[in-house]
Amino acid sequence: MDSFTQIVLGAAMGELAAGRRIGNRAMLWGAVAGTIPDLDIAAGWVADPITSLAFHRCVTHSLYYALFASPVLAWMVRALYGRGGRPEPGYLWRVWLPATVVLYVLLVAGSLASPTPLEGVPVYSAVVAGLTVVVPFLVWALRSVKARGNKTLHQRSTVTYVHWLSLFLLGIGTHPLLDCFTTYGTQVFQPFSQLRVAWNTVSVVDPAYTLPFLICLLVASRALRESRFRRRITWLGVGLS
């Protein structure tokens, strides 16, 4: 599916996971989670076009990656809002660096075990792992600069690790699920099988799918985060999806 639609779906998942606690920021983080699987476009930097095309929608678009990467990313982002809305001392080497290493290992292990061959696995995995940890950090940093002086930003986050875990599991996990409905499909069972699941029911770019969902999400973003209406209109969008 096109990246914009994946962002819309991820934002809806973020809202359902943590919208009541942090409002529209949950949509923002859900959009980040929904984008993460597509960072495998970095395969094109280390492999020929045919191989990189085959490897796209591979390991990062699998249930394997959603299940094992989500806890790492949830831990990393939760620690970003650790003390007064800011990371704990030593965050970069206590949390950020270990998270990078774990994601790198997940990508290397999944890529080497994959039935789809790819040259330059160590370089590819390093690039994708690096992008994966840099994107959330930049989102947090830019948000902090934009909202500097806002007292609510610097309060300790009320979002627990379970909320972050749900957000990333839903955001990353629904990405390959949506891709399964397209003509191209996705290798959702990697690295255990290279079967490409394609149900051919949604176009890769499908306004009939995206626009109603987007409208529901925009309406929800204007409502109070505690309101039942916000929750219901988000579920309406998911139901249409």
Side-chain angles (χ1 to χ4, degrees), residues 133-155:
V133 296
V134 164
V135 169
F137 188 82
L138 288 178
V139 169
W140 174 86
L142 292 173
R143 178 72 180 177
S144 298
V145 171
K146 181 179 179 181
R148 184 173 293 172
N150 184 348
K151 293 181 180 180
T152 60
L153 179 73
H154 303 300
Q155 295 174 352

Side-chain angles (χ1 to χ4, degrees), residues 100-225:
T100 307
V101 172
V102 173
L103 291 174
Y104 174 76
V105 170
L106 287 174
L107 288 164
V108 169
S111 301
L112 292 177
S114 171
T116 303
L118 176 72
E119 295 181 2
V121 165
V123 177
Y124 158 80
S125 300
V127 171
V128 175
L131 288 173
T132 303
V133 296
V134 164
V135 169
F137 188 82
L138 288 178
V139 169
W140 174 86
L142 292 173
R143 178 72 180 177
S144 298
V145 171
K146 181 179 179 181
R148 184 173 293 172
N150 184 348
K151 293 181 180 180
T152 60
L153 179 73
H154 303 300
Q155 295 174 352
R156 184 179 292 272
S157 175
T158 59
V159 184
T160 66
Y161 176 76
V162 173
H163 289 100
W164 287 117
L165 179 59
S166 299
L167 186 150
F168 280 101
L169 275 173
L170 290 171
I172 297 175
T174 55
H175 183 121
L177 179 62
L178 179 56
D179 281 339
C180 287
F181 285 92
T182 66
T183 303
Y184 292 123
T186 192
Q187 300 175 66
V188 71
F189 299 114
Q190 285 280 357
F192 310 106
S193 170
Q194 61 181 348
L195 173 69
R196 186 176 289 270
V197 180
W199 293 319
N200 305 314
T201 59
V202 181
S203 300
V204 173
V205 179
D206 195 335
Y209 171 89
T210 306
L211 290 180
F213 200 178
L214 175 62
I215 291 170
C216 288
L217 203 62
L218 290 175
V219 172
S221 70
R222 305 298 297 174
L224 295 174
R225 69 184 189 186

Side-chain angles (χ1 to χ4, degrees), residues 11-19 170 231 234-235 238:
M13 295 300 103
E15 170 63 27
L16 294 180
L170 290 171
R231 197 79 171 172
T234 303
W235 273 114
V238 174

Side-chain angles (χ1 to χ4, degrees), residues 70-89:
S70 295
V72 179
L73 290 164
W75 172 56
M76 189 187 81
V77 175
R78 175 69 181 89
L80 274 174
Y81 293 97
R83 187 172 65 180
R86 295 189 177 93
E88 301 287 345

Side-chain angles (χ1 to χ4, degrees), residues 38-87:
D38 276 340
L39 295 178
D40 65 355
I41 59 172
W45 302 350
V46 297
D48 62 87
I50 300 300
T51 302
S52 61
L53 180 62
F55 207 78
H56 182 53
R57 297 188 177 184
C58 192
V59 174
T60 62
H61 285 68
S62 67
L63 296 177
Y64 157 83
Y65 195 70
L67 289 173
F68 292 105
S70 295
V72 179
L73 290 164
W75 172 56
M76 189 187 81
V77 175
R78 175 69 181 89
L80 274 174
Y81 293 97
R83 187 172 65 180
R86 295 189 177 93

